[in-house]
Amino acid sequence: MAVERWTDEMLDELTSNFREVRESITEMRESITEMRGSITEVRDSIDGLRVTAQALLQVAAQTQSRMDRFDADLELMKQRQAENDARFNILLEEVRYLIRGDRES
């Protein structure tokens, strides 16, 4: 088995490569730290969106409930108006009958 001796150039190259790897690792750690911060921001944004969506759903449900009550009130008003119209028509017919009676006498 041949034994290879390390020359100064080889050691310098190894040291240089080691430094580059170390710098790359440091850069990767910094990137990972930044990514974690970004992930935290995204999670916070998602939580904010979730709260906003829940609030909007609650407002929509309240609005729907109001609209349902409004529709029920409107139907009741229409029913009462129809009853009042019917009463008015009956009274109008009675007045016409009385007027015709006075003319014939």
Side-chain angles (χ1 to χ4, degrees), residues 20-34:
E20 288 175 9
V21 168
R22 204 163 154 194
E23 288 174 7
S24 294
I25 290 171
T26 301
E27 289 173 5
M28 287 174 53
R29 283 181 179 161
E30 290 171 358
S31 294
I32 289 171
T33 301
E34 289 175 13

Side-chain angles (χ1 to χ4, degrees), residues 5-22:
R5 293 192 170 190
W6 289 82
T7 64
D8 286 343
E9 289 176 3
M10 294 170 72
L11 289 173
D12 288 344
E13 185 178 342
L14 181 64
T15 302
S16 175
N17 288 341
F18 178 74
R19 284 185 185 138
E20 288 175 9
V21 168
R22 204 163 154 194

Side-chain angles (χ1 to χ4, degrees), residues 11-81:
L11 289 173
D12 288 344
E13 185 178 342
L14 181 64
T15 302
S16 175
N17 288 341
F18 178 74
R19 284 185 185 138
E20 288 175 9
V21 168
R22 204 163 154 194
E23 288 174 7
S24 294
I25 290 171
T26 301
E27 289 173 5
M28 287 174 53
R29 283 181 179 161
E30 290 171 358
S31 294
I32 289 171
T33 301
E34 289 175 13
M35 283 177 45
R36 285 180 179 159
S38 296
I39 289 171
T40 300
E41 290 175 9
V42 168
R43 284 182 180 157
D44 291 345
S45 294
I46 289 171
D47 289 342
L49 286 172
R50 184 177 295 122
V51 168
T52 301
Q54 288 171 345
L56 287 172
L57 285 172
Q58 186 175 11
V59 167
Q62 291 170 350
T63 301
Q64 183 63 46
S65 177
R66 286 186 195 128
M67 290 300 295
D68 291 344
R69 283 193 309 266
F70 176 78
D71 287 344
D73 290 346
L74 186 60
E75 283 301 314
L76 182 61
M77 287 173 53
K78 285 179 183 179
Q79 181 182 358
R80 288 180 181 165
Q81 184 64 46

